[in-house]
Amino acid sequence: MVKKKWNSYPFQGSAFVKFKEKMKCLKGDLKVWNKDVFGDINTSKKRTLQEIEVFDCQDCSGILTEADRLKRSVLVTRLRELDKKLDSLVCQKARVSWLKYGDSCTRFYHSTLRWRRLKNEVKGVEVGGQWFEEPCTVRLEAKKLFETRFKATKDLGVRLDGIEFKSLSTEVSLSLIAVFTEKEIRDVVWQCEGTKSPRPDGFNFNFLKKS
């Protein structure tokens, strides 16, 4: 399906532009294909539970046949598969939502922020055995502390006399600012693990290598 759709997109322009536009169209076609093949998982799960409930009622009444028991076993297996698919879908959506929206605006989230703010708050400083909470005194003592810690001395104690540093050749220096070639990009992609994906809702490197 992917190969057939990929070859059917008639885009013109550079290779990168065609690749980008094809990826956009393929993503939309995959959504349509997923809906046609798998359908709505929640609806399928609800319908399967209703069918299992019918067989359970027949079992309680003592009218469940062996053929019906076999059908119920198949439905239970299907229900487990739907649960796995639903769990996988929830995990994928959670990763996308995390990258898109970040932390949810919940009571737990804000209570955690308040706790961290109170924990990191500097309420006062002790100077000469006395406790001060005035903001001006706290700022002044903090300034003195960091000035003492990070104040540079006149003699750093480092000597670089007589040390020969390695330098890049002219050819290597020019290669650092050269335009990337198609072979270099291909080599980088081929060195990546095939099952990895640049982002949660992207295509993995197996797809990129094959396409």
Side-chain angles (χ1 to χ4, degrees), residues 135-161:
C136 59
T137 306
V138 174
R139 287 196 297 267
L140 180 60
E141 293 299 323
K143 182 174 180 293
K144 291 180 180 179
L145 173 65
F146 285 102
E147 283 181 346
T148 305
R149 291 288 181 88
F150 299 103
K151 187 175 182 180
T153 60
K154 294 182 179 180
D155 186 9
L156 298 178
V158 179
R159 295 289 181 271
L160 301 178
D161 302 336

Side-chain angles (χ1 to χ4, degrees), residues 40-208:
D40 189 351
I41 299 179
N42 290 312
T43 303
S44 301
K45 181 180 179 180
K46 184 177 180 180
R47 184 168 57 251
T48 304
L49 286 172
Q50 291 175 350
E51 295 177 4
I52 293 176
E53 186 177 358
V54 172
F55 286 122
D56 289 340
C57 292
Q58 293 178 1
D59 191 15
C60 293
S61 302
I63 59 176
L64 189 67
T65 62
E66 291 298 328
D68 292 336
R69 292 183 185 277
L70 182 60
K71 292 180 180 179
R72 184 186 181 282
S73 177
V74 173
L75 289 174
V76 171
T77 303
R78 184 193 305 173
L79 180 62
R80 292 173 181 171
E81 294 176 354
L82 290 174
D83 285 334
K84 290 181 180 179
K85 292 179 180 179
L86 190 60
D87 291 341
S88 177
L89 182 62
V90 170
C91 290
Q92 294 176 26
K93 287 184 176 181
R95 293 177 64 188
V96 173
S97 298
W98 171 263
L99 294 176
K100 187 174 182 180
Y101 302 109
D103 293 303
S104 300
C105 187
T106 59
R107 182 178 180 182
F108 172 77
Y109 172 70
H110 287 285
S111 63
T112 304
L113 285 183
R114 286 195 299 270
W115 176 79
R116 291 193 63 179
R117 191 180 297 115
L118 292 174
K119 182 180 179 181
N120 296 329
E121 182 181 3
V122 180
K123 300 183 183 298
V125 292
E126 184 177 352
V127 182
Q130 295 184 354
W131 181 258
F132 296 92
E133 296 185 358
E134 293 79 5
C136 59
T137 306
V138 174
R139 287 196 297 267
L140 180 60
E141 293 299 323
K143 182 174 180 293
K144 291 180 180 179
L145 173 65
F146 285 102
E147 283 181 346
T148 305
R149 291 288 181 88
F150 299 103
K151 187 175 182 180
T153 60
K154 294 182 179 180
D155 186 9
L156 298 178
V158 179
R159 295 289 181 271
L160 301 178
D161 302 336
I163 299 179
E164 296 182 2
F165 293 96
K166 294 183 179 180
S167 60
L168 299 177
S169 63
T170 304
E171 182 181 357
V172 176
S173 300
L174 293 176
S175 67
L176 295 177
I177 59 175
V179 180
F180 291 108
T181 63
E182 183 177 349
K183 181 179 181 302
E184 290 176 325
I185 297 175
R186 179 184 176 89
D187 292 340
V188 171
V189 174
W190 253 250
Q191 290 174 5
C192 295
E193 176 64 29
T195 58
K196 300 296 183 180
S197 176
R199 54 182 181 175
D201 58 342
F203 297 91
N204 60 22
F205 284 100
N206 278 332
F207 174 84
L208 298 177

